[in-house]
Amino acid sequence: MNFDLDHEHELVRTTVREFAEQRVAPVAEELDRESRFPYELVAEMAELGLLGMTIPEEYGGAGADTVAYAIAVEELTRVDSSVAITMAAHHSLGTLPIYNYGTEQQRREWVPELASGAKLAAFGLTEPGAGSDAGATRTRADLRDDRWVINGSKIFITNAGTDLTACVTITARTGDDEVSNIIVPNGTPGYVISKPMKKLGWRASDTRELSFEDAAVPEGNLLGPRGEGFQQFLEILDGGRISVAAMGVGLAQGAYDLAYAYARERAQFGRPISKFQAVQFRLADMATELEAGRNMVYKAAWLKDQGRDFALAAAQAKLYTGELSNRVVNWALQIHGGYGYMDEYAISRLYRDQKILEIGEGTNEVQRLVIARHLGL
């Protein structure tokens, strides 16, 4: 077994880390304070090839593997979660479903612009009454005169309302006992996008509520065979969990870095607090858990790259790193003491950004259900 990353993976880490530290870090606090979408950084990520990392080059992507993608998400989140989720949601939830399940015509129409980062895409699954129970979707799409007429609503949708957004792929009931996925272009009459939602964290990411009132799209916007939407979104979520698990590791690493540096600088009782065993033990625990979480994420990504079943590993990684990031960021803020509670210190932003990692892409409770089913329970 070789745990060393190859040259290409190390190059991805170095490149994205430099971008995150030199371009994202200086404006992260300002973007968060103003709840401002990072258009300039999105353009730079597009130039770096980060918005279509695992899409083949013939469709405008970078042709990288899932391990490289996980590393990129991790490094972005280490500095700022809003930028990271903008990239991850666009790639895993916005672009990959069209590439994975679309016809060749749909791929050629949508994927090159999305993979290149010229446009963004979103995925509309969650509804006001259908969160963890995603199969309870009530949005309907009725086929009338070769057009899908959509009525319903979605909530907590990332990247749906930016100036760059091209489309959202939504789940909808196309029959009494069937769910399908349908591509809805932005600007479709009857498709209304709310103002940005105000959030505890991820404040610089775009989150909207969507409503559909007789919004009609061509019959050809159906993604994959009719009635296979439920299975499609389960597979989409499996892959998305690798992204969010990578975010858990990245945020925990960022919190650890801040705590480590602060502990060596902050002096109490005549010496740096890093010299006290209580602080040393906390940092030792943080570093140990980070090692475990990172290996879980990379294993899930590697299994996906090998074409093997990765659903269990992804759920385990997502569950563990979500709870790991909770522990690490809490310990890191505790090490900062009162200063950590002030917004001028980055740890306070990481603390707010962390909680959604235990909710989005399936709550901790849902992950345990998924894991239990894979165990045959």
Side-chain angles (χ1 to χ4, degrees):
M1 297 176 69
N2 183 3
F3 288 93
D4 289 329
L5 296 176
D6 61 29
H7 173 70
E8 291 185 0
H9 292 144
E10 290 289 2
L11 182 60
V12 168
R13 186 185 298 284
T14 300
T15 301
V16 180
R17 179 170 293 186
E18 289 179 355
F19 168 74
E21 293 180 346
Q22 296 174 12
R23 302 294 300 143
V24 181
V27 297
E29 190 274 334
E30 177 183 323
L31 291 171
D32 176 80
R33 184 179 67 253
E34 298 178 359
S35 297
R36 177 159 53 89
F37 188 76
Y39 285 104
E40 299 86 354
L41 297 177
V42 170
E44 292 183 43
M45 287 194 290
E47 291 180 7
L48 291 172
L50 298 182
L51 296 182
M53 283 194 72
T54 69
I55 301 296
E57 293 180 10
E58 66 175 298
Y59 292 98
D65 62 14
T66 312
V67 173
Y69 171 59
I71 291 170
V73 173
E74 174 190 343
E75 289 298 328
L76 288 173
T77 317
R78 180 171 162 264
V79 172
D80 184 65
S81 293
S82 291
V83 171
I85 191 55
T86 298
M87 175 266 216
H90 165 71
H91 182 276
S92 293
L93 303 181
T95 307
L96 278 181
I98 299 176
Y99 175 76
N100 288 343
Y101 308 116
T103 63
E104 187 60 22
Q105 181 178 345
Q106 288 172 332
R107 285 182 174 184
R108 295 296 176 185
E109 178 181 358
W110 294 104
V111 175
E113 275 197 324
L114 300 179
S116 68
K119 295 291 184 179
L120 297 178
F123 185 70
L125 173 62
T126 303
E127 298 184 1
S132 294
D133 184 12
T137 182
R138 298 181 64 184
T139 297
R140 290 196 59 86
D142 299 307
L143 192 57
R144 305 175 193 166
D145 300 325
D146 301 325
R147 297 180 72 79
W148 292 107
V149 180
I150 305 167
N151 286 279
S153 63
K154 302 290 180 179
I155 198 167
F156 310 140
I157 309 304
T158 303
N159 290 341
T162 77
D163 294 342
L164 298 173
T165 304
C167 63
V168 60
T169 299
I170 66 162
T171 57
R173 291 203 171 277
T174 49
D176 291 339
D177 296 312
E178 68 177 29
V179 174
S180 303
N181 287 324
I182 300 173
I183 303 170
V184 182
N186 276 34
T188 297
Y191 170 31
V192 178
I193 302 170
S194 77
K195 293 181 179 180
M197 303 181 78
K198 295 182 179 180
K199 309 185 294 292
L200 172 69
W202 287 7
R203 290 180 175 174
S205 75
D206 181 77
T207 308
R208 310 274 182 149
E209 184 171 5
L210 316 178
S211 61
F212 306 88
E213 185 173 348
D214 290 334
V217 300
E219 183 178 3
N221 283 29
L222 182 72
L223 191 62
R226 177 172 175 169
E228 293 194 5
F230 189 84
Q231 182 59 38
Q232 288 174 3
F233 79 64
L234 289 180
E235 294 172 1
I236 292 167
L237 292 177
D238 284 339
R241 283 168 185 148
I242 295 176
S243 304
V244 181
M247 290 188 70
V249 170
L251 187 142
Q253 182 67 59
Y256 170 83
D257 292 343
L258 292 172
Y260 181 88
Y262 185 83
R264 292 166 63 88
E265 296 169 0
R266 174 68 167 169
Q268 289 288 276
F269 304 103
R271 53 179 173 164
I273 62 173
S274 62
K275 298 300 182 182
F276 293 99
Q277 191 178 71
V279 175
Q280 292 175 349
F281 280 12
R282 275 295 183 227
L283 291 169
D285 288 345
M286 293 157 75
T288 301
E289 290 213 45
L290 269 164
E291 181 70 11
R294 182 172 288 110
N295 277 290
M296 292 181 76
V297 173
Y298 291 2
K299 179 183 177 182
W302 178 83
L303 286 170
K304 187 174 188 292
D305 287 333
Q306 300 303 310
R308 292 164 60 178
D309 188 351
F310 66 92
L312 173 59
Q316 290 174 325
K318 199 274 182 185
L319 171 64
Y320 184 76
T321 60
E323 296 188 347
L324 150 69
S325 62
N326 181 302
R327 291 189 291 271
V328 170
V329 77
N330 188 60
W331 293 337
L333 194 146
Q334 188 72 20
I335 287 173
H336 279 75
Y339 288 105
Y341 204 67
M342 302 296 110
D343 278 344
E344 62 195 85
Y345 280 76
I347 190 62
S348 70
R349 172 168 49 84
L350 270 64
Y351 188 85
R352 288 186 287 103
D353 285 341
Q354 183 281 325
K355 187 57 189 177
I356 190 61
L357 299 178
E358 300 179 83
I359 298 171
E361 289 283 346
T363 63
N364 294 358
E365 293 76 15
V366 166
Q367 301 312 310
R368 288 183 165 89
L369 283 173
V370 171
I371 294 166
R373 288 170 183 167
H374 278 282
L375 298 177
L377 301 173

